[in-house]
Amino acid sequence: MYKMDELFPQVDEKKTVNKVKHFLKHTLPQMQRYSHKDISGIKSPIITDMPKGGSVGNGAEETITQRVYAGQVVDNVVIALKSCDAISQKILWDIYVEGNAVKATQPESGYGETQFRYYQNRALLAFADAFMLEDLHVFKK
């Protein structure tokens, strides 16, 4: 019989929040450029299987595989965002997709600075739970 801690190790929330922020600020824009997909224009992503590489290395095949994978990252970000609650979606979309500054998004949300930070961190943790292509969690040892 498994224990809960074995199946779901304790998440280091602070490190996970930082990892997700880095992913959304740096990795996502890079994947959008590489895949030629703009997340703000994606409405209904289609999920496909992971690309399979051939046994012989080929530069063109590798480039295509990388671009397909980058497209899957972008598609899975959309799916993960849609899996979050409405408050989390709004915060993540405004800051990480639209590129609005936190200082501009926070007053518009109606929350005070401390409460907004709480909801922002909660949104980032929810995104880590929902993103299925790569595990963005950092676990306590």
Side-chain angles (χ1 to χ4, degrees):
M1 192 67 151
Y2 289 103
K3 293 181 182 179
M4 189 70 113
D5 287 344
E6 292 172 357
L7 288 175
F8 299 101
Q10 200 171 13
V11 173
D12 184 324
E13 291 184 356
K14 185 175 181 178
K15 288 181 181 178
T16 299
V17 163
N18 288 334
K19 185 174 182 178
V20 174
K21 279 182 183 178
H22 182 270
F23 174 82
L24 292 172
K25 284 182 181 177
H26 301 287
T27 305
L28 177 59
Q30 180 182 26
M31 294 295 108
Q32 288 182 101
R33 288 190 305 272
Y34 208 67
S35 68
H36 302 284
K37 288 185 176 185
D38 180 10
I39 194 169
S40 61
I42 295 177
K43 300 295 180 209
S44 299
I46 298 169
I47 303 172
T48 59
D49 291 330
M50 290 293 296
K52 296 179 173 100
S55 59
V56 177
N58 180 328
E61 287 178 18
E62 186 175 322
T63 299
I64 291 168
T65 301
Q66 289 172 343
R67 291 190 188 278
V68 168
Y69 181 76
Q72 289 178 332
V73 170
V74 174
D75 292 345
N76 278 272
V77 165
V78 173
I79 292 166
L81 284 170
K82 289 181 178 182
S83 297
C84 295
D85 63 274
I87 294 169
S88 296
Q89 282 184 35
K90 176 81 171 126
I91 290 170
L92 294 172
W93 190 268
D94 287 353
I95 296 172
Y96 300 104
V97 176
E98 295 294 326
N100 296 328
V102 172
K103 289 186 178 201
T105 304
Q106 180 259 319
E108 158 184 319
S109 72
Y111 298 119
E113 188 175 335
T114 303
Q115 193 174 20
F116 182 81
R117 291 282 181 204
Y118 165 79
Y119 282 113
Q120 181 185 10
N121 288 343
R122 190 186 77 158
L124 292 163
L125 291 169
F127 182 86
D129 291 343
F131 188 70
M132 301 303 284
L133 198 58
E134 176 184 338
D135 193 358
L136 296 174
H137 295 100
V138 177
F139 298 101
K140 293 182 179 178
K141 298 191 189 242

